[in-house]
Amino acid sequence: MYIKKKCVAMLLAGGQGSRLYALTKNVAKPAVPYGGKYRLIDFPLSNCTNSGIDTVGVLTQYQPLVLNEYIGNGQPWDLDKLHGGVHILPPYESKAGASWYEGTANAIYQNMRFIERYDPEYVIVLGGDHIYKMDYSKMVDYHIENNADCTIAVIDVPKEEASRFGIMICDESNRVTDFVEKPKVPKSTLASMGIYVFSWDKLKKYLIENENDANEKRAKGEPWSKDFGKDIITSMLGDNQRLFAYEFEGYWKDVGTLDSLWEANMDLLSPSVPLDLYDPSWKIYSRNSNMPPQYIGNNANIENSMISEGSSIDGQVDFSIIFSGVTIEEGAKVNYSILMPGAVIKSGAVVEYAIVGEDSVIENGAKVGKSPEQVANRDDWGIAVVGHNVTVSEGKSVEPKEIIDENI
Amino acid sequence: MVVNYNVLGLIFASMHDTSVAELTKQRTMGSILFGGRYRLIDFPLSNMVNSGIAEVGVITKSNYGSLLDHLGSGREWDLSRKKGGLHLLPPYSQDGGIYRGRLDALSNVWSFIEHSTAKYVLLSDCDMVTTIDFNPVIEQHIESEADITVVYSKGLYDSEKNHSTNILELDGNRVKDVLVDPQLSGECNISLGMFVMSKEFLKKIVSESISRNQYSLIRDVLQAKKNEYKICGYEHKGYFSKIDSVLNFYNANLELLKTDKRNALFKKDFPVYTKIGDNGPTKYGLESNIKNSLIADGCIIEGTVENSVLFRGVKVGKGAVIKNSVILQSTEIGDECQIMSVITDKNVKISNRKVLTGSDTYPLFIGKNAQI
């Protein structure tokens, strides 16, 4: 017997994250390391727990091995529950045949039976690639107060950036009147955060409609899609359903690209960025590496950086995020960079404006990245990226904007 | 590693509490903080778990609130189990009151021990920081057909500096005598407070001793019956550190600043498990200056730290200087403080511009929750 849940969260974690290139070669995007000791999925999972939502389906498809192992039974997030808890939901074979997830709406459609077992009133749909702290229970309350069918979390973005997002146009009561994906001329600055609260009966109806509709189009050879923003939200608006925008204030960052992942890490070092990882009332939980404390050696020189357990630092570290188990030898320099778990920077190596993946080794005298000042033409500058388990040999260099995923 | 249901681990969480009275005022020996993020009981527990031992009883005495909080269901040591697992055994004495020695304590929890299907029992105290695989100890115990196997290490002993220490006199690996705090100094065979015996033999010595109103494993068995029983020593080669005074606690923490010592205690394939704090990474400010220090997660450091150990969640203000100190969990040190050779217990708050100075041979100890 299943105990009824007011609210079930569905976390879309199947995306390839192709714009993170080397970092998602063998790892699903939500398992990409962030912030010194976290992975991206720690944020939505911790938000769920802190919001009192204890039933979470994680929809996986692309390279799920690391993600599955990381989530395990959900214990680090308090999601190992007698009733509910976290469940990994990969695509499966049924009598009608097997099918990969064919879009975000289809992924939920294929798991309607999972949701139905808990007989929820509301379903929260979340992504796995955003950094933010949010109380989803307040958004559900807002959804109920408005007697809404769907509530979409939005954030006010600067006008010049609005054309990068899905933009909501609302009336004075925050009711959504129109939705445009990446408009050339934005009519509003309210960007969708990819966080939705649906009344389950409504979502179910639209998922089934979208599925049938898209399959019919496919049979006829017409273009089709099974996507939340493009199909479900658009259809609901077309039917004059009650869609509301829930305005979020606080830190929110999309980490869909290497640049934004790097920036989101650097944000942690800025005193003006309101993302507090030290608030005991809203902890961000993660799976612990069981390593001893970090050791800072006699030759170390550390400024404005974050460093995690198990690291051993004897070089120079400025404005950087250092994950667990990293080694920085004497004479090595690391500036404005992100070193993922287990990275080794040998003596005399220089790493600047770069991301170095898990367990990668930068040998003596190798160079990764350059500061913008060192590049004559600013258009040639960008962060340098070394993927996971890659060695950069002695004397080799990785130029700005370069991405490597094999030993050089 | 294979799960070993044939050995039951028993940890005495409160043995020798009085030798570090300052630190055990509000806790047991087992819950003394150590090495930046651990408590002493993490070492015997992790050693047992890493050796495949799947069932562990923890015998407590008094002040065990912090210990219960730390251990919980034993999940963090992988001991929240249906088969085996962690069992907390609070104090209880047949004749009321608190037990007096190991044998008294064992007698009181005998129904738990009896219930276990294990053939062998491994007893361990909590005051020894070391990394040890118990499998070879148990193998030697079985092969040598000993009644009791005592784990020891060769190390420097000084009666002026060490307390509640048992020294073994050996002939080959046979224990000829056990000396308690003898008046001598030099290299000795120091007992690590870990003993292996069969459950059947343990049952015999417990019931024989209790019927004679004897309760000390060392005095009434190891010393009194040294000729009657076959008592063997097992030499553990590797790092060990005995926490038997506040000064030794201070030195043992600072000793972890030496890379060879740290690597000998913390081995990659032999993790030391502890309760997770879910702290953020440690944040170093623009004017921080750190040399030769061991620092746990969740600290925010804006000053200078040298030759020190900082536990989880310590805050160091701007312009503050900390040298040769052991700063326990959640201590807050204000701007421009000067802290030299100091131990601060948990949650100490030191306001701006305070100067606290101890000596390397007599560190200044600041008690739990103190505000300065």
Side-chain angles (χ1 to χ4, degrees), chain A residues 26-307:
Chain A
N26 298 313
V27 178
K29 186 152 97 170
V32 166
Y34 168 81
K37 66 183 299 183
Y38 309 98
R39 292 183 187 264
L40 299 181
I41 199 166
D42 289 332
F43 285 82
L45 288 180
S46 301
N47 284 338
C48 280
T49 294
N50 286 321
S51 305
I53 290 158
D54 66 359
T55 308
V56 185
V58 178
L59 300 138
T60 62
Q61 176 156 289
Y62 174 80
Q63 289 285 6
L65 182 68
V66 174
L67 185 62
N68 288 353
E69 189 187 10
Y70 187 69
I71 294 173
N73 68 351
Q75 180 271 317
W77 305 270
D78 242 355
L79 289 171
D80 52 333
K81 304 283 289 186
L82 281 180
H83 304 286
V86 67
H87 295 257
I88 308 258
L89 304 170
Y92 57 90
E93 188 173 348
S94 67
K95 272 204 166 155
S99 156
W100 293 104
Y101 294 150
E102 302 170 319
T104 49
N106 177 254
I108 309 274
Y109 172 84
Q110 289 202 39
N111 287 289
M112 289 202 306
R113 280 184 50 229
F114 168 78
I115 299 171
E116 297 264 79
R117 295 176 89 126
Y118 299 103
D119 188 22
E121 305 296 317
Y122 309 101
V123 170
I124 305 179
V125 178
L126 303 167
D129 49 2
H130 295 119
I131 305 295
Y132 63 105
K133 289 162 68 169
M134 179 172 175
D135 189 340
Y136 302 137
S137 68
K138 287 188 179 155
M139 185 170 166
V140 173
D141 290 345
Y142 178 85
H143 179 88
I144 296 168
E145 278 164 30
N146 283 312
N147 193 24
D149 300 308
C150 171
T151 300
I152 301 151
V154 296
I155 188 159
D156 202 10
V157 294
K159 196 152 193 185
E160 58 274 18
E161 286 179 30
S163 53
R164 295 202 289 121
F165 296 97
I167 294 296
M168 299 286 159
I169 294 116
C170 302
D171 67 12
E172 62 284 354
S173 67
N174 275 343
R175 184 160 175 184
V176 179
T177 56
D178 201 4
F179 165 70
V180 200
E181 191 69 64
K182 294 177 184 160
K184 287 212 174 74
V185 187
K187 280 194 240 167
S188 123
T189 52
L190 295 176
S192 166
M193 297 164 66
I195 301 164
Y196 309 91
V197 174
F198 289 95
S199 298
W200 170 233
D201 52 349
K202 281 287 160 65
L203 176 61
K204 189 178 167 186
K205 173 173 174 279
Y206 280 91
L207 284 173
I208 295 169
E209 277 180 22
N210 167 245
E211 183 70 19
N212 294 339
D213 187 45
N215 289 346
E216 264 174 44
K217 282 181 179 160
R218 175 158 53 182
K220 287 186 211 158
E222 291 172 15
W224 58 275
S225 62
K226 299 176 179 180
D227 186 73
F228 260 96
K230 206 168 161 189
D231 302 301
I232 304 291
I233 300 299
T234 311
S235 302
M236 288 181 85
L237 275 173
D239 291 352
N240 209 20
Q241 297 289 320
R242 292 177 65 81
L243 279 76
F244 282 80
Y246 174 74
E247 203 167 337
F248 173 75
E249 281 171 20
Y251 182 84
W252 177 79
K253 186 104 183 173
D254 175 14
V255 284
T257 65
L258 289 168
D259 284 343
S260 62
L261 178 67
W262 180 80
E263 279 166 26
N265 276 282
M266 290 300 130
D267 280 348
L268 291 171
L269 303 175
S270 163
S272 60
V273 169
L275 179 65
D276 181 5
L277 297 176
Y278 303 88
D279 174 5
S281 70
W282 203 276
K283 281 188 174 182
I284 303 301
Y285 303 105
S286 62
R287 189 171 284 281
N288 192 272
S289 56
N290 277 309
M291 286 188 177
Q294 53 198 280
Y295 173 73
I296 313 296
N298 268 317
N299 307 298
N301 193 343
I302 301 168
E303 265 185 26
N304 203 39
S305 293
M306 272 187 179
I307 304 179

Side-chain angles (χ1 to χ4, degrees), chain A residues 257-371:
Chain A
T257 65
L258 289 168
D259 284 343
S260 62
L261 178 67
W262 180 80
E263 279 166 26
N265 276 282
M266 290 300 130
D267 280 348
L268 291 171
L269 303 175
S270 163
S272 60
V273 169
L275 179 65
D276 181 5
L277 297 176
Y278 303 88
D279 174 5
S281 70
W282 203 276
K283 281 188 174 182
I284 303 301
Y285 303 105
S286 62
R287 189 171 284 281
N288 192 272
S289 56
N290 277 309
M291 286 188 177
Q294 53 198 280
Y295 173 73
I296 313 296
N298 268 317
N299 307 298
N301 193 343
I302 301 168
E303 265 185 26
N304 203 39
S305 293
M306 272 187 179
I307 304 179
S308 263
E309 282 161 352
S311 287
S312 178
I313 314 292
D314 207 18
Q316 185 193 313
V317 181
D318 288 338
F319 286 84
S320 293
I321 303 282
I322 313 296
F323 283 74
S324 60
V326 167
T327 305
I328 301 176
E329 293 185 356
E330 181 186 350
K333 282 187 184 173
V334 177
N335 303 321
Y336 292 89
S337 293
I338 299 155
L339 306 187
M340 290 184 174
V344 178
I345 313 300
K346 295 276 181 73
S347 167
V350 179
V351 177
E352 296 182 293
Y353 293 83
I355 299 175
V356 177
E358 291 185 53
D359 298 315
S360 287
V361 180
I362 313 301
E363 295 281 1
N364 288 359
K367 279 188 173 227
V368 178
K370 280 182 184 156
S371 68

Side-chain angles (χ1 to χ4, degrees), chain B residues 111-123:
Chain B
S111 61
F112 164 75
I113 301 170
E114 189 69 49
H115 194 69
S116 165
T117 55
K119 189 170 176 209
Y120 298 96
V121 177
L122 168 68
L123 308 178

Side-chain angles (χ1 to χ4, degrees), chain B residues 109-364:
Chain B
V109 299
W110 193 260
S111 61
F112 164 75
I113 301 170
E114 189 69 49
H115 194 69
S116 165
T117 55
K119 189 170 176 209
Y120 298 96
V121 177
L122 168 68
L123 308 178
S124 176
D125 295 344
C126 276
D127 53 353
M128 199 63 75
V129 177
T130 188
T131 296
I132 177 171
D133 181 355
F134 289 122
N135 287 304
V137 186
I138 292 153
E139 274 165 35
Q140 185 198 299
H141 178 79
I142 295 169
E143 275 166 26
S144 66
E145 296 179 337
D147 294 313
I148 302 174
T149 299
V150 187
V151 182
Y152 71 93
S153 278
K154 285 191 164 49
L156 288 176
Y157 166 80
D158 183 346
S159 55
E160 296 291 306
K161 291 177 184 159
N162 294 106
H163 308 275
S164 14
T165 304
N166 300 321
I167 302 296
L168 307 185
E169 282 188 356
L170 292 165
D171 177 8
N173 72 358
R174 279 295 290 268
V175 175
K176 289 289 149 197
D177 207 353
V178 180
L179 308 173
V180 178
D181 294 335
Q183 293 296 308
L184 53 90
S185 68
E187 194 185 69
C188 292
N189 302 315
I190 299 171
S191 162
L192 301 190
M194 301 165 188
F195 311 91
V196 177
M197 54 197 102
S198 70
K199 193 169 103 180
E200 198 187 316
F201 182 80
L202 182 64
K203 185 177 185 175
K204 181 178 126 164
I205 59 171
V206 167
S207 57
E208 279 177 3
S209 305
I210 295 305
S211 63
R212 292 177 178 83
N213 198 26
Q214 295 167 341
Y215 46 83
S216 167
L217 176 66
I218 305 299
R219 189 188 59 214
D220 301 323
V221 180
L222 294 183
Q223 290 179 329
K225 307 274 177 71
K226 62 193 177 198
N227 298 323
E228 192 177 327
Y229 298 140
K230 185 173 182 186
I231 304 170
C232 290
Y234 172 92
E235 188 188 352
H236 169 54
K237 290 175 180 158
Y239 171 90
F240 78 99
S241 197
K242 192 170 189 299
I243 309 303
D244 54 5
S245 69
V246 170
L247 179 61
N248 287 343
F249 167 81
Y250 172 79
N251 287 333
N253 272 287
L254 294 186
E255 198 177 49
L256 294 177
L257 299 176
K258 293 178 183 147
T259 301
D260 57 331
K261 301 281 182 189
R262 211 167 50 248
N263 291 345
L265 181 62
F266 300 114
K267 297 175 179 171
K268 273 209 169 129
D269 54 351
F270 218 81
V272 183
Y273 302 103
T274 189
K275 187 181 176 188
I276 302 306
D278 288 299
N279 305 85
T282 281
K283 200 168 185 171
Y284 297 92
L286 275 170
E287 287 153 58
S288 71
N289 185 0
I290 321 292
K291 302 283 178 219
N292 192 39
S293 292
L294 193 65
I295 297 173
D297 274 5
C299 297
I300 298 177
I301 302 174
E302 302 195 71
T304 296
V305 180
E306 283 179 27
N307 308 322
S308 296
V309 177
L310 270 56
F311 285 64
R312 296 193 277 216
V314 168
K315 292 198 173 90
V316 179
K318 284 191 179 119
V321 178
I322 299 172
K323 286 185 180 171
N324 309 329
S325 293
V326 176
I327 308 295
L328 298 200
Q329 202 174 318
S330 303
T331 295
E332 289 180 19
I333 293 168
D335 294 349
E336 290 168 54
C337 284
Q338 299 211 29
I339 311 288
M340 312 286 169
S341 305
V342 170
I343 303 167
T344 63
D345 204 330
K346 261 180 92 170
N347 297 325
V348 167
K349 302 222 177 344
I350 302 172
S351 56
N352 295 347
R353 287 179 291 282
K354 295 289 179 291
V355 178
L356 300 175
T357 312
S359 135
D360 290 349
T361 50
Y362 202 98
L364 177 63

